[in-house]
Amino acid sequence: MSTDSLAKCSLNSRMHLLLIEDDAEAAKYLAKGLRESGYTVDVAANGRDGLFQATEQQYELIIADRQLPHIDGLTIVQMLRRQGSKVPVLILSALGSVDDRIEGLRAGGDDYLTKPFAFGELTARIEALLRRGPGVAAATRLKVADLEIDLLGRMVTRAGRRIELTTKEFQLLEFLARRQGQVVTRTLLLEGVWDLHFDPQTNVIDVHMSRLRTSIDRDFPKPLIHTVRGAGYVLRDEP
Amino acid sequence: MSTDSLAKCSLNSRMHLLLIEDDAEAAKYLAKGLRESGYTVDVAANGRDGLFQATEQQYELIIADRQLPHIDGLTIVQMLRRQGSKVPVLILSALGSVDDRIEGLRAGGDDYLTKPFAFGELTARIEALLRRGPGVAAATRLKVADLEIDLLGRMVTRAGRRIELTTKEFQLLEFLARRQGQVVTRTLLLEGVWDLHFDPQTNVIDVHMSRLRTSIDRDFPKPLIHTVRGAGYVLRDEP
DNA sequence: CAATTTGGTTAAGAACTCGTAATCCCTGCG
DNA sequence: CGCAGGGATTACGAGTTCTTAACCAAATTG
């Protein structure tokens, strides 16, 4: 099966990652691949910016090169830990030899990966780090009433019938489904689905929500997407 | 990997085992003994590495300690099974109570051995598991709907009709078929089929996918290869 | 060594997505 | 009732992504 599981592991929840890598080309390649795999990726080109962004924003995981301008990867980990942050950090190292300090990372719940590595290996380790502890595998399918979402296959069915969605629609639905029953505010959607941290002054959300609605709810008696006036939207069975 | 690993796994009589054991001394002792018994043995020192290696490579059998750092033995079995792997797994445990045995087997472990044990007993059980039949053997043919792929014969048929493919096309199809139903990203394809670890800045994948499509899907009403915009491709029956 | 096959590149255009903006539609309140 | 404000819907177009055919070089074959 080899990389089977890797593929399987890579299309999960929309997680926010920070990639700290000074080699522009490598950074671009990795970021692209990770985005294809469904992650939201921010990139920092050096240690200083990286550390700043890591403290400024909350990431689910940080991937840092070992050797970086200004501040190297290991130091970033140390500083983050000193600030009380517990974000898992994955160190990319060009060094072949096993460094004691790096070895120590594993104990701290973090991990390292020696270059060159297969992309699949990276996603596998990311998934391993994102798992909330042993035994709790990340979900691969979500269910809301008769609606089923297959994250690996990027497939949605309702009442057994197949529903085609665009990428944005799928992301939006996944975001809602992960918080099913809870009201999701516009701001939350803007950040979680569009990665916008300011008000775009447009009605992007409304438009996409409308599109998603026609796909999900039009041909069915019970709508699953509900508007909460003045607050946001909910995905749930009851009105 | 594709055809390489195939040759490796099916045509080589030397059995490939993965031993996941955190106790370095025990691991060394067992590995040595198993190698003397004619097995090729890889060792992983903790659950995370073990699970990774188990998915990364095709092993005929996996021997895993029950208690491991990061991810324990039973969880490894569960995860492998969830990934569709059928590798026989032998769990080693210091726990001897009946409950533990049941739990271990229910998790999908194929056998259970309580420490301390005689080395002979270990080899006996390994042989039993390996002998236990074709059901556990590595796949030599893959099926997706009416499409059949004979990995050993390097032959493809759809609806009984023979389809001729070039080497690249076959590799591509095999890669997709091994992950049928799952979206395969371009990056993954680039690495898995072309062994390119950077962006080739061309559309090789698209072109070959198009060629594969004309071979596989042109003369049939239901296409099996589907594009997932912005992500990659899937091989599956449904649209 | 010519002929054929194979695999990578280029490029044109087809198909599709997504954001904007204009318009319509509620809902609640004065 | 009519108005205001939030929300829904629709159409459009720019930009992107995918498909395909044609081309060429390298490898393979007779």
Side-chain angles (χ1 to χ4, degrees):
Chain A
M1 97 216 36
S2 60
T3 35
D4 266 9
S5 60
L6 309 180
K8 211 167 214 174
C9 287
S10 46
L11 291 170
N12 282 333
S13 61
R14 193 145 189 92
M15 296 274 180
H16 271 75
L17 312 185
L18 174 63
L19 174 64
I20 316 179
E21 165 67 80
D22 58 316
D23 177 355
E25 198 159 315
K28 204 173 145 193
Y29 174 72
L30 292 175
K32 180 164 173 273
L34 289 169
R35 291 196 182 108
E36 282 174 355
S37 300
Y39 294 105
T40 305
V41 185
D42 289 354
V43 180
N46 61 64
R48 200 162 53 202
D49 293 353
L51 184 58
F52 177 74
Q53 282 186 247
T55 24
E56 195 69 4
Q57 253 201 272
Q58 289 237 314
Y59 291 99
E60 270 84 8
L61 185 130
I62 294 170
I63 304 166
D65 196 355
R66 165 73 204 269
Q67 285 127 322
L68 286 168
H70 306 317
I71 308 173
D72 82 303
L74 288 178
T75 313
I76 289 177
V77 184
Q78 286 173 353
M79 292 190 157
L80 285 173
R81 294 289 173 261
R82 201 170 305 161
Q83 289 168 15
S85 167
K86 284 175 185 154
V87 213
V89 180
L90 176 56
I91 296 285
L92 305 181
S93 166
L95 307 169
S97 68
V98 182
D99 183 323
D100 287 348
R101 293 187 296 157
I102 281 184
E103 195 49 57
L105 280 175
R106 294 215 159 171
D110 298 316
D111 204 355
Y112 71 86
L113 197 50
T114 315
K115 295 185 194 174
F117 51 83
F119 185 79
E121 189 169 357
L122 176 62
T123 53
R125 296 209 177 234
I126 290 173
E127 279 304 319
L129 285 175
L130 288 178
R131 262 191 265 280
R132 310 288 185 227
V136 186
T140 69
R141 45 186 23 244
L142 302 168
K143 276 185 76 171
V144 183
D146 56 353
L147 181 77
E148 300 197 35
I149 308 169
D150 175 355
L151 297 175
L152 297 177
R154 293 221 182 153
M155 239 178 21
V156 177
T157 58
R158 180 153 184 204
R161 257 190 289 165
R162 181 67 204 289
I163 294 175
E164 308 266 4
L165 294 182
T166 71
T167 318
K168 261 277 131 57
E169 286 164 4
F170 190 86
Q171 288 175 7
L172 191 52
L173 180 60
E174 182 186 343
F175 195 89
L176 291 170
R178 285 188 181 282
R179 293 157 184 76
Q180 57 180 281
Q182 300 171 30
V183 176
V184 178
T185 66
R186 283 152 182 283
T187 315
L188 227 46
L189 286 170
L190 238 31
E191 297 208 337
V193 181
W194 276 266
D195 199 26
L196 290 177
H197 302 273
F198 51 88
D199 190 341
Q201 311 275 355
T202 71
N203 61 346
V204 220
I205 291 183
D206 306 56
V207 171
H208 278 268
M209 201 58 81
S210 168
R211 285 172 183 158
L212 183 59
R213 257 183 178 141
T214 64
S215 301
I216 298 294
D217 285 338
R218 174 154 59 179
D219 304 334
F220 298 87
K222 268 192 184 176
L224 296 180
I225 300 173
H226 308 279
T227 315
V228 182
R229 247 173 180 262
Y233 298 88
V234 211
L235 185 69
R236 70 165 152 236
D237 204 353
E238 314 145 50
Chain B
M1 93 230 51
S2 50
T3 39
D4 292 5
S5 66
L6 218 178
K8 202 183 206 169
C9 291
S10 347
L11 304 175
N12 191 343
S13 57
R14 205 170 170 85
M15 291 289 174
H16 218 153
L17 311 186
L18 173 64
L19 174 64
I20 315 179
E21 167 67 76
D22 59 325
D23 179 351
E25 200 164 334
K28 205 172 147 192
Y29 169 75
L30 290 173
K32 183 162 171 275
L34 290 169
R35 287 194 184 107
E36 283 170 0
S37 303
Y39 296 106
T40 306
V41 184
D42 289 354
V43 181
N46 62 63
R48 200 157 56 198
D49 291 355
L51 181 59
F52 177 68
Q53 281 184 250
T55 38
E56 181 69 348
Q57 254 202 279
Q58 289 226 322
Y59 290 99
E60 269 81 12
L61 186 130
I62 294 169
I63 304 166
D65 196 354
R66 168 74 202 267
Q67 285 125 324
L68 287 168
H70 305 318
I71 305 174
D72 77 8
L74 291 185
T75 311
I76 289 178
V77 183
Q78 283 172 352
M79 290 188 170
L80 285 173
R81 295 288 177 260
R82 197 173 307 165
Q83 288 163 14
S85 167
K86 287 176 182 150
V87 214
V89 180
L90 178 57
I91 300 281
L92 304 181
S93 170
L95 309 164
S97 78
V98 183
D99 285 344
D100 280 311
R101 283 170 191 267
I102 291 173
E103 195 192 334
L105 291 173
R106 190 180 296 149
D110 300 283
D111 208 341
Y112 206 77
L113 199 50
T114 314
K115 298 181 190 176
F117 51 83
F119 192 80
E121 190 173 359
L122 177 62
T123 54
R125 285 180 189 257
I126 290 173
E127 276 168 42
L129 281 177
L130 287 178
R131 209 174 326 111
R132 200 174 73 185
V136 208
T140 67
R141 45 186 22 243
L142 302 168
K143 275 187 76 172
V144 183
D146 56 352
L147 180 78
E148 300 198 33
I149 307 168
D150 178 354
L151 297 175
L152 294 178
R154 236 226 53 166
M155 268 200 338
V156 178
T157 58
R158 180 153 184 204
R161 260 189 286 165
R162 180 69 200 284
I163 293 175
E164 305 274 357
L165 293 182
T166 71
T167 321
K168 259 279 129 56
E169 285 165 2
F170 189 85
Q171 287 177 5
L172 192 52
L173 181 59
E174 182 187 343
F175 196 88
L176 290 170
R178 284 187 183 281
R179 296 158 182 75
Q180 57 179 281
Q182 296 174 29
V183 175
V184 179
T185 66
R186 294 178 134 62
T187 312
L188 232 42
L189 284 170
L190 235 34
E191 297 204 334
V193 180
W194 277 266
D195 199 28
L196 290 178
H197 300 270
F198 51 88
D199 192 338
Q201 310 274 357
T202 72
N203 59 349
V204 219
I205 291 183
D206 308 50
V207 172
H208 277 268
M209 201 59 80
S210 168
R211 285 173 182 160
L212 183 59
R213 255 184 181 141
T214 64
S215 302
I216 298 294
D217 285 339
R218 175 151 59 178
D219 304 334
F220 299 87
K222 267 193 183 176
L224 296 180
I225 299 173
H226 307 278
T227 320
V228 181
R229 243 165 190 266
Y233 296 88
V234 211
L235 185 69
R236 71 171 153 229
D237 203 354
E238 313 152 56

